Structures are given as structure tokens and as C-alpha cells.
């Protein structure tokens, strides 16, 4: 087998656990981040995901030499997007090299043509991607410190001697909120142990890996899930696919049937689910439904015992979260809020963004669950913070959707092509999958719910109320809220949020 020597900047295919080889680039690790002891590996940034990982040398192949081979065996949409990102990178790198060469020649300096140290490479030369001053990476390991720091003073990430097998599509973040106005955000592994130091700062160390051959190892804790709506259904499906033992309950019992066929167990009441399970998740429509589920007849509270965990995933106001946290902990339970950002499709794809706050030990216990249902997880500190952040995010999303709908109708009213408006929009700085999908749905008259209009209006209302309590003006959200209320009056509540468009044409 030919020896491959790699430098910082080299494009590679990196194999991580059970995932297919993925295009990436060898990069410098953060200044104080040490290489895993005893492992010959390089630090790689993956294209398309912006994730990083230490990859063993035997799991790395030069990008160009193996490009055709990899493209033949991998056909996924995200994979193709990652390859496209590499090609964009190459085009930009080539342009930069031509510009730098011209400048060097004008100054009478000789441009470097130092070749890559890649043996048996028959493909094109990649020296355009290299800075002549870059040094070759070596496989020698520097002496590890007692606690290997990643994110600066007071917090760090220690790599154990076992190889890191994190899913390249999944990140955890810990947002430590202190008295400082700025917060620090640090990557952490799938499983954590968080150590409070004498100074009061937080040290974060990787515990034993929860992955076997790179796949998600489901927790051995019994999982309960209450609420099988647009979001909950996708979440439960992904929990089951990843091997979790899940007991489900839904107000409309028929919705449970599909999941029973997939291997879920059936709970007769929320109280029964909570009593049977170690961790019970809830994802319902609004604050009233969330309260009723916990404190109503046969509610969760009746099944809570010391040590039982309750995770509220509904998007509700901070006051509701505070109330639920208090009643759960009063029975000896452990509480975490974890609302999710996304849509039905995103939920089905297991690519939700999870905002968590409350008991950090519950956050750790939910690690494999969050990995099954989402691509990113943030821990935001004390209970209530996640609710606040989620309402702000949905306030922005709802206001933005209303503005896009207003633009489409104004284009039509002034004799402009709505499709041309969308084409121009998608070529500019506001281009996104969200804009493209929602606008296409509007133009096609397809308002099948991916996120209910009635729920985004509820979130706008709660965000405006939160602003009032903080004595902070929210005039844009207030204006958008009125448009959504108009859409609801036109019987659009159970349609997608893009149906706000109809408020402008009636």
C-alpha cells in the first residue's frame, strides 16, 4: 500500500465509522487542542457539514485520486452537496492563486511550485491549494496537558486515547452563561462529564464514547414520548430507527399504531408512560397542552418518582417552563427543556436543532436521543433560557415569512413576475432552502403543513408578550402577528406557515 504524506490544506476523503467516505480538508487543529495519544491521525474539516474530526491516517485518501471512485459508490443528496462545495472551493482557490502569482511576478518574486507529498497520485496537481510556507504534518504526538483546552480560559475539551467516532453530521454545543455579557460556546463530545472547578469555571471532558464503529449507541434507559404531531412523529421514528426502547402516548390513540408496528410500546396514559420510563419527552402544541399533560388527570406528575427525567420539547413561554420545572423537581424528578427548531421534513430527516436548558445531567443522559433526532444541540444554562431563545428564533422566522409573502404579492400587484422575483431572490444574499421551498410552495398553491401556521402565530404572540415583560419593543413581530391572525381568520390555521400569503390576496 502506497504511503500518503499529507499537509495542511490537502483535500482528502475521510472515513468516519459507519459513514461513507466524506470529502474534507486537512486543517490545523485549534492552538491548544492535542492529538489523541498513540494515534497517527490528521485533523479534518468536512465539506458540507463544517464539522471537524481527528481521522486516522489509514482512513484518509487523496481527494482527486479517488474522486471518481467515491462518487460512484455514494449517491446521497448531502454527499453531492459536499462534493459541490469542494468544487467551489477549488475554483476559488485557483482564482486566488492566479491573483497571487500576478502580484508576486510584479514584485519580482518567484512563485513557489513546491509539489505535494502525495505518492502515486495520477490526478491533477493540487499545489494551487497550498501556501508555500505551510509545513508538512507529522505523526508525532506532543506531550498532552492535564486538561487539554479547546475554547479558552475556564473550559476545555479533553480527547481520550480512544479514537473520536462522532457522527460527522452531529455537533453538541455547551453555552455557558455567566455574568459576562458575552457567552462562550464549545464543541463537546456525544457524552460528557462536566466538572465544576474550584474557580467556579466549567471544565468539559470527553467521557467514554457512546459510538460503536461510528454509529449511535442507544442509551439503555427506557424512553417515553408524549405527542405524535408533525414534529413528534419524526422524532419517535428516528429514535426507533437508532435502536431506542420507546413507549408512546398520544391524545388521538390511532396515531400510535404506526409506531407500535415499528417496535414502540404503547402507554395508556401520560402517568403510565412517566412511571414506566426513565426519560419521558413531550412535544405538544402550546402552553395549555403542556401544562395539562403534566398536571391534568392521569398526567405526567402522577408518574414522576425520584430520579425520573422529564424533557419538555414543546415551544412554550418561559413562565410555563418555570412552572413545569418546579412541579417536576418537587416530586424528586429531573427536568430539562429542549424545544426544537425545524419542520416536519427536518424532523423526519433527523436534522433538528435542539435547544436545551435545565438539568445538565439530563442533557447528558439524552445524548444518544438528541443525536438520533437532530444535527445540533445547544445547552443554554438554566431552565427558561431555551424557551426564550426558541421564541426569538420563531419570531424572526415568522416575521421573515410574512415579509417574503408580502414581497411576492407586491410583485404581482405591480406587474412583475413572481417567479422572476424568486429567481433573483435565490441568487442573492438571502438565498436559502427555506426561501426557495416556501416560495415554490406558494407559487404552486401547495400549503400542506410542514409547520402549522397556527403554531407560528402562537410563537409570535408569546414572543411579543416576552418583549412586553422585558420592556422591549417588538413592532415588526407585532405587525407580522396581525397578518397571521388575518390568515387564521381565513381558515389557514392548519395549513403551512407559507399560507400567510393568502392574507395578502383576500
Amino acid at each position: 500500500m502506497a504511503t500518503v504524506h499529507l499537509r495542511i490544506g490537502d483535500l482528502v476523503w475521510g472515513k468516519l465509522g459507519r459513514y461513507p467516505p466524506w470529502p474534507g480538508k486537512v486543517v490545523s487543529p485549534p492552538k491548544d487542542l492535542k492529538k489523541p495519544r498513540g494515534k497517527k491521525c490528521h485533523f479534518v474539516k468536512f465539506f458540507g457539514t463544517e464539522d471537524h474530526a481527528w481521522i486516522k491516517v489509514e482512513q484518509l485518501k487523496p481527494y482527486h485520486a479517488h474522486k471518481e471512485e467515491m462518487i460512484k459508490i455514494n449517491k446521497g443528496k448531502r454527499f453531492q452537496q459536499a462534493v459541490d462545495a469542494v468544487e467551489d472551493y477549488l475554483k476559488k482557490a485557483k482564482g486566488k492563486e492566479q491573483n497571487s502569482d500576478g502580484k508576486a511576478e510584479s514584485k519580482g518574486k518567484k512563485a513557489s511550485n513546491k509539489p505535494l507529498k502525495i505518492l502515486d497520485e495520477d490526478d491533477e496537481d493540487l499545489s494551487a491549494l497550498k501556501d508555500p510556507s505551510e509545513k508538512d504534518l507529522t505523526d508525532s504526538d506532543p506531550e498532552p496537558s492535564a486538561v487539554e483546552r479547546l475554547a479558552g480560559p475556564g473550559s476545555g475539551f479533553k480527547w481520550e486515547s480512544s479514537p473520536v467516532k462522532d457522527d460527522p453530521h452531529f455537533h453538541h454545543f455547551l453555552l455557558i452563561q455567566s455574568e459576562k455579557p458575552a457567552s462562550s460556546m464549545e464543541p463537546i463530545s456525544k457524552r460528557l462529564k462536566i466538572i465544576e472547578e474550584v474557580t467556579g469555571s466549567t471544565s468539559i471532558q470527553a467521557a467514554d464514547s457512546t459510538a460503536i464503529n461510528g454509529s449511535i449507541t442507544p442509551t439503555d434507559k427506557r424512553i417515553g414520548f408524549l405527542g405524535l404531531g408533525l414534529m413528534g412523529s419524526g422524532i419517535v421514528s428516528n429514535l426507533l430507527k437508532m435502536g431506542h426502547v420507546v413507549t408512546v402516548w398520544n391524545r388521538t390513540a390511532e396515531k400510535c399504531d404506526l409506531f407500535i408496528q415499528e417496535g414502540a410500546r404503547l402507554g395508556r396514559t401520560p402517568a403510565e408512560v412517566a412511571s414506566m420510563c426513565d426519560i419521558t419527552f413531550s412535544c405538544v402544541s402550546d402552553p395549555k397542552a403542556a401544562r395539562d399533560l403534566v398536571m391534568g388527570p392521569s398526567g405526567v406528575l402522577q408518574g414522576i418518582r425520584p430520579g425520573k427525567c422529564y424533557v419538555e420539547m414543546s415551544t412554550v413561554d418561559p413562565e410555563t417552563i418555570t412552572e413545569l420545572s418546579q412541579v417536576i423537581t418537587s416530586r424528586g424528578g429531573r427536568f430539562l427543556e429542549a424545544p426544537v427548531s425545524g419542520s416536519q421534513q427536518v424532523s423526519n430527516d433527523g436534522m433538528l436543532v435542539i435547544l436545551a436548558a435545565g438539568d445538565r445531567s439530563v442533557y447528558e443522559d439524552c445524548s444518544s436521543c438528541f443525536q438520533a433526532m437532530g444535527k445540533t444541540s445547544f445547552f443554554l444554562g438554566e431552565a427558561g433560557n431555551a424557551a426564550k431563545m426558541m421564541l426569538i428564533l420563531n419570531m424572526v422566522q415568522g416575521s421573515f415569512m410574512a415579509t417574503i409573502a408580502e414581497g411576492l404579492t407586491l410583485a404581482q400587484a405591480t406587474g412583475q413576475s413572481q417567479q422572476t422575483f424568486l429567481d433573483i431572490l435565490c441568487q442573492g444574499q438571502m438565498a436559502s432552502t427555506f426561501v426557495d421551498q416556501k416560495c415554490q410552495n406558494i407559487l404552486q398553491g401547495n400549503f400542506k403543513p410542514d409547520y402549522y401556521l397556527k403554531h407560528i402565530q402562537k410563537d409570535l404572540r408569546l414572543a411579543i408578550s416576552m418583549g412586553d415583560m422585558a420592556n422591549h419593543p417588538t413592532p415588526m413581530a407585532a405587525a407580522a402577528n396581525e397578518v397571521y391572525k388575518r390568515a387564521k381568520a381565513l381558515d389557514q390555521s392548519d395549513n403551512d406557515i407559507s399560507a400567510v400569503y393568502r392574507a395578502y390576496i383576500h
Side-chain angles (χ1 to χ4, degrees):
M1 182 177 178
T3 303
V4 178
H5 299 281
L6 297 172
R7 296 188 306 183
I8 292 173
D10 281 349
L11 299 182
V12 294
W13 295 99
K15 183 76 170 67
L16 194 61
R18 67 182 176 91
Y19 289 93
W22 205 264
K25 182 174 71 170
V26 178
V27 297
S28 298
K31 184 177 179 181
D32 298 324
L33 179 62
K34 308 300 181 183
K35 190 180 300 183
R37 285 174 285 183
K39 302 297 176 183
K40 293 183 178 181
C41 54
H42 294 304
F43 198 60
V44 175
K45 175 183 178 181
F46 290 100
F47 283 90
T49 68
E50 302 307 312
D51 294 334
H52 299 71
W54 289 107
I55 306 294
K56 292 187 290 186
V57 293
E58 59 266 30
Q59 299 296 330
L60 292 170
K61 292 183 177 181
Y63 176 80
H64 287 275
H66 296 273
K67 178 181 174 182
E68 291 187 9
E69 169 194 347
M70 297 303 176
I71 290 177
K72 286 180 181 178
I73 62 177
N74 297 299
K75 300 294 183 182
K77 182 179 179 181
R78 293 193 188 96
F79 175 82
Q80 186 56 54
Q81 290 173 342
V83 173
D84 291 343
V86 178
E87 299 307 311
D88 289 342
Y89 170 83
L90 287 169
K91 290 177 183 177
K92 292 178 182 177
K94 186 174 182 180
K96 288 180 180 179
E97 185 202 39
Q98 290 173 345
N99 291 337
S100 63
D101 285 349
K103 292 178 181 179
E105 289 170 2
S106 68
K107 294 180 181 180
K109 295 182 180 179
K110 185 178 180 180
S112 172
N113 291 315
K114 185 177 179 181
L116 292 179
K117 293 184 178 180
I118 301 180
L119 305 182
D120 296 62
E121 165 124 44
D122 298 322
D123 215 303
E124 62 185 282
D125 182 21
L126 301 181
S127 59
L129 302 177
K130 301 295 175 286
D131 183 329
S133 65
E134 288 178 345
K135 297 180 180 179
D136 287 354
L137 294 173
T138 68
D139 291 319
S140 60
D141 291 321
E143 185 67 22
S145 60
V147 177
E148 297 168 346
R149 303 289 179 185
L150 175 62
S155 57
F157 179 65
K158 182 178 180 181
W159 295 85
E160 301 291 343
S161 58
S162 60
V164 177
K165 299 176 180 176
D166 279 354
D167 179 340
H169 300 294
F170 189 85
H171 274 172
H172 276 290
F173 292 94
L174 180 70
L175 193 60
I176 302 172
Q177 298 186 337
S178 63
E179 295 178 358
K180 299 178 182 179
S183 300
S184 63
M185 186 168 69
E186 313 165 31
I188 62 179
S189 73
K190 287 182 176 179
R191 188 159 179 83
L192 304 176
K193 48 184 178 180
I194 301 174
I195 303 172
E196 296 293 339
E197 298 177 344
V198 177
T199 60
S201 61
T202 305
S203 174
I204 306 161
Q205 298 180 325
D208 295 336
S209 174
T210 62
I212 298 177
N213 297 325
S215 62
I216 296 172
T217 301
T219 177
D220 58 2
K221 296 183 182 298
R222 293 163 297 180
I223 304 301
F225 205 96
L226 311 174
L228 301 174
L230 289 183
M231 306 297 279
S233 293
I235 291 172
V236 170
S237 181
N238 283 307
L239 288 172
L240 291 169
K241 287 176 184 176
M242 294 301 172
H244 295 84
V245 177
V246 186
T247 300
V248 296
W249 174 90
N250 192 70
R251 185 177 55 184
T252 307
E254 292 76 21
K255 285 190 176 182
C256 297
D257 293 344
L258 176 62
F259 302 101
I260 301 303
Q261 294 173 14
E262 293 180 2
R265 301 172 182 179
L266 179 64
R268 291 175 297 179
T269 66
E272 182 178 82
V273 174
S275 65
M276 291 170 57
C277 299
D278 302 304
I279 304 173
T280 300
F281 293 87
S282 165
C283 189
V284 293
S285 58
D286 55 36
K288 182 180 184 304
R291 287 191 179 97
D292 289 347
L293 201 59
V294 173
M295 295 175 282
S298 301
V300 168
L301 197 59
Q302 295 181 23
I304 290 294
R305 302 289 182 272
K308 297 279 187 182
C309 302
Y310 188 65
V311 182
E312 181 57 79
M313 304 192 78
S314 312
T315 300
V316 297
D317 55 283
E319 292 72 31
T320 296
I321 291 298
T322 299
E323 182 179 1
L324 295 180
S325 176
Q326 289 175 348
V327 296
I328 294 295
T329 55
S330 71
R331 296 289 183 92
R334 299 154 62 205
F335 181 84
L336 184 78
E337 60 168 331
V340 293
S341 178
S343 62
Q344 181 184 33
Q345 186 59 54
V346 173
S347 177
N348 292 342
D349 291 343
M351 297 295 283
L352 292 167
V353 175
I354 302 150
L355 308 185
D359 190 325
R360 282 187 295 192
S361 66
V362 180
Y363 177 65
E364 297 172 48
D365 288 343
C366 291
S367 177
S368 72
C369 297
F370 288 158
Q371 291 172 65
M373 67 180 75
K375 66 174 182 179
T376 307
S377 169
F378 291 83
F379 184 81
L380 304 180
E382 64 182 21
N385 285 341
K388 294 173 184 176
M389 186 68 79
M390 184 57 66
L391 289 178
I392 295 169
L393 290 169
N394 284 0
M395 177 190 76
V396 171
Q397 182 182 28
S399 301
F400 182 57
M401 183 68 252
T403 301
I404 293 296
E406 189 172 287
L408 279 168
T409 52
L410 182 59
Q412 184 179 45
T414 55
Q416 304 304 303
S417 164
Q418 291 181 318
Q419 183 61 56
T420 301
F421 167 76
L422 174 57
D423 292 342
I424 296 170
L425 195 64
C426 288
Q427 291 297 318
Q429 291 181 323
M430 290 187 292
S432 68
T433 301
F434 176 83
V435 169
D436 183 48
Q437 289 180 344
K438 295 305 181 186
C439 289
Q440 290 292 358
N441 288 346
I442 288 173
L443 297 184
Q444 294 166 11
N446 173 19
F447 299 106
K448 180 182 178 182
D450 198 35
Y451 192 94
Y452 285 122
L453 184 144
K454 62 185 177 184
H455 289 169
I456 201 71
Q457 190 273 322
K458 173 261 299 181
D459 296 341
L460 280 164
R461 173 175 55 81
L462 294 177
I464 293 167
S465 176
M466 186 170 70
D468 289 342
M469 294 183 67
N471 196 29
H472 183 82
T474 53
M476 305 302 292
N481 186 45
E482 293 304 314
V483 182
Y484 282 98
K485 286 164 64 176
R486 166 69 175 158
K488 287 178 65 177
L490 294 170
D491 201 27
Q492 301 301 309
S493 291
D494 292 326
N495 281 333
D496 187 68
I497 63 172
S498 54
V500 69
Y501 173 82
R502 288 181 168 168
Y504 289 99
I505 60 176
H506 288 86

